[in-house]
PDB file of all heavy atoms in Angstrom:
ATOM      1  N   GLU A 189     -69.716-192.137 -50.003  1.00  0.00           N
ATOM      2  CA  GLU A 189     -70.429-190.855 -50.050  1.00  0.00           C
ATOM      3  C   GLU A 189     -71.483-190.900 -51.159  1.00  0.00           C
ATOM      4  O   GLU A 189     -71.349-190.234 -52.187  1.00  0.00           O
ATOM      5  CB  GLU A 189     -69.438-189.713 -50.275  1.00  0.00           C
ATOM      6  CG  GLU A 189     -70.005-188.351 -49.987  1.00  0.00           C
ATOM      7  CD  GLU A 189     -69.000-187.219 -50.181  1.00  0.00           C
ATOM      8  OE1 GLU A 189     -67.921-187.457 -50.775  1.00  0.00           O
ATOM      9  OE2 GLU A 189     -69.292-186.102 -49.734  1.00  0.00           O
ATOM     10  N   ASN A 192     -72.841-187.707 -52.900  1.00  0.00           N
ATOM     11  CA  ASN A 192     -71.926-186.759 -53.548  1.00  0.00           C
ATOM     12  C   ASN A 192     -72.366-186.557 -55.002  1.00  0.00           C
ATOM     13  O   ASN A 192     -72.268-187.485 -55.817  1.00  0.00           O
ATOM     14  CB  ASN A 192     -70.495-187.279 -53.497  1.00  0.00           C
ATOM     15  CG  ASN A 192     -69.482-186.305 -54.076  1.00  0.00           C
ATOM     16  OD1 ASN A 192     -69.794-185.495 -54.946  1.00  0.00           O
ATOM     17  ND2 ASN A 192     -68.252-186.381 -53.613  1.00  0.00           N
ATOM     18  N   TYR A 194     -71.078-185.125 -57.493  1.00  0.00           N
ATOM     19  CA  TYR A 194     -70.043-185.141 -58.526  1.00  0.00           C
ATOM     20  C   TYR A 194     -69.695-186.560 -58.976  1.00  0.00           C
ATOM     21  O   TYR A 194     -69.157-186.746 -60.066  1.00  0.00           O
ATOM     22  CB  TYR A 194     -68.764-184.476 -58.007  1.00  0.00           C
ATOM     23  CG  TYR A 194     -68.897-183.005 -57.727  1.00  0.00           C
ATOM     24  CD1 TYR A 194     -68.937-182.533 -56.421  1.00  0.00           C
ATOM     25  CD2 TYR A 194     -68.992-182.078 -58.766  1.00  0.00           C
ATOM     26  CE1 TYR A 194     -69.065-181.171 -56.157  1.00  0.00           C
ATOM     27  CE2 TYR A 194     -69.121-180.731 -58.517  1.00  0.00           C
ATOM     28  CZ  TYR A 194     -69.154-180.284 -57.203  1.00  0.00           C
ATOM     29  OH  TYR A 194     -69.280-178.941 -56.945  1.00  0.00           O
ATOM     30  N   LEU A 195     -69.972-187.558 -58.149  1.00  0.00           N
ATOM     31  CA  LEU A 195     -69.475-188.899 -58.438  1.00  0.00           C
ATOM     32  C   LEU A 195     -70.114-189.563 -59.661  1.00  0.00           C
ATOM     33  O   LEU A 195     -69.386-190.150 -60.473  1.00  0.00           O
ATOM     34  CB  LEU A 195     -69.610-189.784 -57.198  1.00  0.00           C
ATOM     35  CG  LEU A 195     -68.661-189.415 -56.056  1.00  0.00           C
ATOM     36  CD1 LEU A 195     -68.968-190.247 -54.818  1.00  0.00           C
ATOM     37  CD2 LEU A 195     -67.208-189.609 -56.467  1.00  0.00           C
ATOM     38  N   HIS A 198     -68.567-187.955 -62.694  1.00  0.00           N
ATOM     39  CA  HIS A 198     -67.153-188.305 -62.785  1.00  0.00           C
ATOM     40  C   HIS A 198     -66.991-189.733 -63.295  1.00  0.00           C
ATOM     41  O   HIS A 198     -66.120-190.009 -64.130  1.00  0.00           O
ATOM     42  CB  HIS A 198     -66.514-188.148 -61.403  1.00  0.00           C
ATOM     43  CG  HIS A 198     -65.022-188.060 -61.423  1.00  0.00           C
ATOM     44  ND1 HIS A 198     -64.328-187.120 -62.155  1.00  0.00           N
ATOM     45  CD2 HIS A 198     -64.073-188.802 -60.787  1.00  0.00           C
ATOM     46  CE1 HIS A 198     -63.026-187.273 -61.972  1.00  0.00           C
ATOM     47  NE2 HIS A 198     -62.847-188.298 -61.154  1.00  0.00           N
ATOM     48  N   THR A 216     -56.689-184.293 -61.453  1.00  0.00           N
ATOM     49  CA  THR A 216     -56.275-182.975 -60.970  1.00  0.00           C
ATOM     50  C   THR A 216     -56.598-182.876 -59.485  1.00  0.00           C
ATOM     51  O   THR A 216     -57.447-183.613 -58.969  1.00  0.00           O
ATOM     52  CB  THR A 216     -56.994-181.822 -61.695  1.00  0.00           C
ATOM     53  OG1 THR A 216     -58.397-181.900 -61.405  1.00  0.00           O
ATOM     54  CG2 THR A 216     -56.758-181.875 -63.197  1.00  0.00           C
ATOM     55  N   ILE A 217     -55.939-181.969 -58.807  1.00  0.00           N
ATOM     56  CA  ILE A 217     -56.262-181.737 -57.400  1.00  0.00           C
ATOM     57  C   ILE A 217     -57.713-181.296 -57.266  1.00  0.00           C
ATOM     58  O   ILE A 217     -58.430-181.728 -56.347  1.00  0.00           O
ATOM     59  CB  ILE A 217     -55.308-180.700 -56.782  1.00  0.00           C
ATOM     60  CG1 ILE A 217     -53.881-181.272 -56.698  1.00  0.00           C
ATOM     61  CG2 ILE A 217     -55.797-180.276 -55.395  1.00  0.00           C
ATOM     62  CD1 ILE A 217     -53.718-182.465 -55.773  1.00  0.00           C
ATOM     63  N   ALA A 218     -58.193-180.474 -58.183  1.00  0.00           N
ATOM     64  CA  ALA A 218     -59.589-180.030 -58.131  1.00  0.00           C
ATOM     65  C   ALA A 218     -60.547-181.212 -58.182  1.00  0.00           C
ATOM     66  O   ALA A 218     -61.511-181.287 -57.403  1.00  0.00           O
ATOM     67  CB  ALA A 218     -59.878-179.059 -59.271  1.00  0.00           C
ATOM     68  N   ALA A 219     -60.294-182.150 -59.102  1.00  0.00           N
ATOM     69  CA  ALA A 219     -61.160-183.323 -59.210  1.00  0.00           C
ATOM     70  C   ALA A 219     -61.099-184.178 -57.962  1.00  0.00           C
ATOM     71  O   ALA A 219     -62.111-184.715 -57.500  1.00  0.00           O
ATOM     72  CB  ALA A 219     -60.764-184.142 -60.439  1.00  0.00           C
ATOM     73  N   GLU A 220     -59.905-184.307 -57.393  1.00  0.00           N
ATOM     74  CA  GLU A 220     -59.766-185.123 -56.182  1.00  0.00           C
ATOM     75  C   GLU A 220     -60.485-184.494 -54.997  1.00  0.00           C
ATOM     76  O   GLU A 220     -61.084-185.195 -54.177  1.00  0.00           O
ATOM     77  CB  GLU A 220     -58.290-185.358 -55.872  1.00  0.00           C
ATOM     78  CG  GLU A 220     -57.557-186.172 -56.927  1.00  0.00           C
ATOM     79  CD  GLU A 220     -58.315-187.434 -57.298  1.00  0.00           C
ATOM     80  OE1 GLU A 220     -58.596-188.244 -56.389  1.00  0.00           O
ATOM     81  OE2 GLU A 220     -58.655-187.603 -58.488  1.00  0.00           O
ATOM     82  N   LEU A 221     -60.441-183.195 -54.889  1.00  0.00           N
ATOM     83  CA  LEU A 221     -61.145-182.528 -53.784  1.00  0.00           C
ATOM     84  C   LEU A 221     -62.653-182.737 -53.880  1.00  0.00           C
ATOM     85  O   LEU A 221     -63.352-182.740 -52.861  1.00  0.00           O
ATOM     86  CB  LEU A 221     -60.813-181.037 -53.778  1.00  0.00           C
ATOM     87  CG  LEU A 221     -59.381-180.677 -53.380  1.00  0.00           C
ATOM     88  CD1 LEU A 221     -59.125-179.189 -53.611  1.00  0.00           C
ATOM     89  CD2 LEU A 221     -59.103-181.042 -51.930  1.00  0.00           C
ATOM     90  N   ARG A 222     -63.162-182.930 -55.090  1.00  0.00           N
ATOM     91  CA  ARG A 222     -64.599-183.151 -55.273  1.00  0.00           C
ATOM     92  C   ARG A 222     -64.995-184.611 -55.095  1.00  0.00           C
ATOM     93  O   ARG A 222     -66.133-184.892 -54.706  1.00  0.00           O
ATOM     94  CB  ARG A 222     -65.035-182.694 -56.668  1.00  0.00           C
ATOM     95  CG  ARG A 222     -65.005-181.194 -56.900  1.00  0.00           C
ATOM     96  CD  ARG A 222     -65.739-180.820 -58.186  1.00  0.00           C
ATOM     97  NE  ARG A 222     -65.139-181.422 -59.366  1.00  0.00           N
ATOM     98  CZ  ARG A 222     -64.231-180.839 -60.134  1.00  0.00           C
ATOM     99  NH1 ARG A 222     -63.806-179.632 -59.838  1.00  0.00           N
ATOM    100  NH2 ARG A 222     -63.748-181.450 -61.200  1.00  0.00           N
ATOM    101  N   THR A 223     -64.091-185.541 -55.398  1.00  0.00           N
ATOM    102  CA  THR A 223     -64.497-186.938 -55.546  1.00  0.00           C
ATOM    103  C   THR A 223     -63.767-187.934 -54.659  1.00  0.00           C
ATOM    104  O   THR A 223     -64.237-189.069 -54.508  1.00  0.00           O
ATOM    105  CB  THR A 223     -64.301-187.387 -57.003  1.00  0.00           C
ATOM    106  OG1 THR A 223     -62.896-187.304 -57.343  1.00  0.00           O
ATOM    107  CG2 THR A 223     -65.102-186.515 -57.966  1.00  0.00           C
ATOM    108  N   ASN A 224     -62.637-187.576 -54.107  1.00  0.00           N
ATOM    109  CA  ASN A 224     -61.801-188.536 -53.372  1.00  0.00           C
ATOM    110  C   ASN A 224     -62.212-188.554 -51.904  1.00  0.00           C
ATOM    111  O   ASN A 224     -62.030-187.577 -51.187  1.00  0.00           O
ATOM    112  CB  ASN A 224     -60.325-188.127 -53.504  1.00  0.00           C
ATOM    113  CG  ASN A 224     -59.386-189.206 -53.004  1.00  0.00           C
ATOM    114  OD1 ASN A 224     -59.663-189.886 -52.024  1.00  0.00           O
ATOM    115  ND2 ASN A 224     -58.253-189.339 -53.667  1.00  0.00           N
ATOM    116  N   ARG A 228     -61.955-185.910 -48.303  1.00  0.00           N
ATOM    117  CA  ARG A 228     -63.255-185.354 -47.953  1.00  0.00           C
ATOM    118  C   ARG A 228     -63.711-185.833 -46.566  1.00  0.00           C
ATOM    119  O   ARG A 228     -64.905-186.087 -46.340  1.00  0.00           O
ATOM    120  CB  ARG A 228     -64.282-185.741 -49.031  1.00  0.00           C
ATOM    121  CG  ARG A 228     -63.955-185.142 -50.398  1.00  0.00           C
ATOM    122  CD  ARG A 228     -64.992-185.517 -51.442  1.00  0.00           C
ATOM    123  NE  ARG A 228     -66.342-185.151 -51.027  1.00  0.00           N
ATOM    124  CZ  ARG A 228     -66.837-183.915 -51.051  1.00  0.00           C
ATOM    125  NH1 ARG A 228     -66.064-182.896 -51.470  1.00  0.00           N
ATOM    126  NH2 ARG A 228     -68.067-183.665 -50.665  1.00  0.00           N
TER     127      ARG A 228
END
Side-chain angles (χ1 to χ4, degrees):
E189 195 179 13
N192 184 332
Y194 294 107
L195 290 174
H198 198 56
T216 64
I217 292 295
E220 296 311 303
L221 290 172
R222 291 193 299 266
T223 62
N224 191 323
R228 296 181 55 77

